């Protein structure tokens, strides 16, 4: 059993743990109770995960793990209905863009450009993360 307070009450038969404040905020942000061991004094804190993750942006691997766990929990609770969506072919998209008025076409092109810029930024952050992980692994090998 995990709790956010410190102390021990023998008459109640419960053990309470001291926890860092960031553990409380991470629990609130994730809307679940996270393991106490990660936030004990002296323990190495897990990476901070923002609750404001935008769809299509960079998502750290730890956040992906939590999101997939949340999705699995929701799927167990609810029956998900499959939506049948029709995707436009490349030819249909090209024709639709040609039929757009000039103002809407300019807006559409700006949207496409910003989506490409976001994708570049996400790829850049992923490459940085991979480089950091490989350098950490190399340091661990040389230290061992």
């Amino acid at each position: 059993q995990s709790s956010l307070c410190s102390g021990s009450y023998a008459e109640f038969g419960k053990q309470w743990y001291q926890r860092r404040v960031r553990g409380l905020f991470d629990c609130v942000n994730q809307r679940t109770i996270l393991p106490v061991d990660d936030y004990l004094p002296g323990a190495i804190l897990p990476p901070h995960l923002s609750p404001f993750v935008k769809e299509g942006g960079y998502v750290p691997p730890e956040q992906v793990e939590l999101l997939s766990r949340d999705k699995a929990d929701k799927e167990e609770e609810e029956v998900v209905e499959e939506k049948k969506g029709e995707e436009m072919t490349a030819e249909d998209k090209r024709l639709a863009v040609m039929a757009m008025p000039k103002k809407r076409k300019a807006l559409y092109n700006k949207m496409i450009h910003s989506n490409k810029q976001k994708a570049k930024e996400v790829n850049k952050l992923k490459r940085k993360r991979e480089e950091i992980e490989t350098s950490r692994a190399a340091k661990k090998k040389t230290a061992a």
Side-chain angles (χ1 to χ4, degrees), residues 56-104:
Y58 174 72
V59 180
E62 295 86 3
Q63 186 79 21
V64 171
E65 180 183 324
L66 285 173
L67 291 174
S68 65
R69 190 180 331 153
D70 289 344
K71 284 183 183 178
D73 291 343
K74 287 180 183 178
E75 287 177 0
E76 290 174 3
E77 294 173 2
E78 299 176 357
V79 176
V80 180
E81 294 181 14
E82 293 184 20
K83 296 180 181 178
K84 296 180 180 178
E86 297 180 21
E87 293 188 24
M88 296 176 68
T89 63
E91 183 66 22
D92 292 339
K93 286 182 184 179
R94 187 180 67 79
L95 291 173
V97 170
M98 285 177 54
M100 284 184 192
K102 192 173 187 178
K103 287 183 180 181
R104 287 190 183 169

Side-chain angles (χ1 to χ4, degrees), residues 2 4 9-10 13 35 58 67-68 76 102 110-111 115 118 123 125 129:
S2 65
L4 302 177
Y9 294 98
Y58 174 72
L67 291 174
S68 65
E76 290 174 3
K102 192 173 187 178
K110 287 180 185 178
M111 289 171 42
N115 288 344
K118 287 178 188 176
N123 289 335
L125 291 172
R129 176 71 182 231

Side-chain angles (χ1 to χ4, degrees), residues 6-133:
S6 63
S8 177
Y9 294 98
E11 64 268 11
F12 296 113
K14 291 185 178 179
Q15 178 71 34
W16 293 31
Y17 298 97
Q18 185 175 5
R19 176 183 247 196
R20 293 185 186 168
V21 176
R22 196 178 112 197
L24 175 67
F25 286 107
D26 285 350
C27 287
V28 171
N29 288 340
Q30 296 300 324
R31 295 180 182 92
T32 185
I33 296 176
L34 299 174
V36 175
D37 298 336
D38 295 341
Y39 298 97
L40 290 175
I44 297 174
L45 291 173
H48 176 69
L49 303 175
S50 174
F52 307 108
V53 175
K54 293 182 181 177
E55 189 174 319
Y58 174 72
V59 180
E62 295 86 3
Q63 186 79 21
V64 171
E65 180 183 324
L66 285 173
L67 291 174
S68 65
R69 190 180 331 153
D70 289 344
K71 284 183 183 178
D73 291 343
K74 287 180 183 178
E75 287 177 0
E76 290 174 3
E77 294 173 2
E78 299 176 357
V79 176
V80 180
E81 294 181 14
E82 293 184 20
K83 296 180 181 178
K84 296 180 180 178
E86 297 180 21
E87 293 188 24
M88 296 176 68
T89 63
E91 183 66 22
D92 292 339
K93 286 182 184 179
R94 187 180 67 79
L95 291 173
V97 170
M98 285 177 54
M100 284 184 192
K102 192 173 187 178
K103 287 183 180 181
R104 287 190 183 169
K105 190 182 296 185
L107 179 62
Y108 176 76
N109 288 334
K110 287 180 185 178
M111 289 171 42
I112 296 296
H113 177 73
S114 69
N115 288 344
K116 287 181 182 178
Q117 294 292 26
K118 287 178 188 176
K120 284 181 185 178
E121 184 68 24
V122 167
N123 289 335
K124 179 181 170 184
L125 291 172
K126 284 182 181 179
R127 280 195 311 271
K128 278 186 177 181
R129 176 71 182 231
E130 289 173 2
E131 290 172 6
I132 291 170
E133 294 292 330

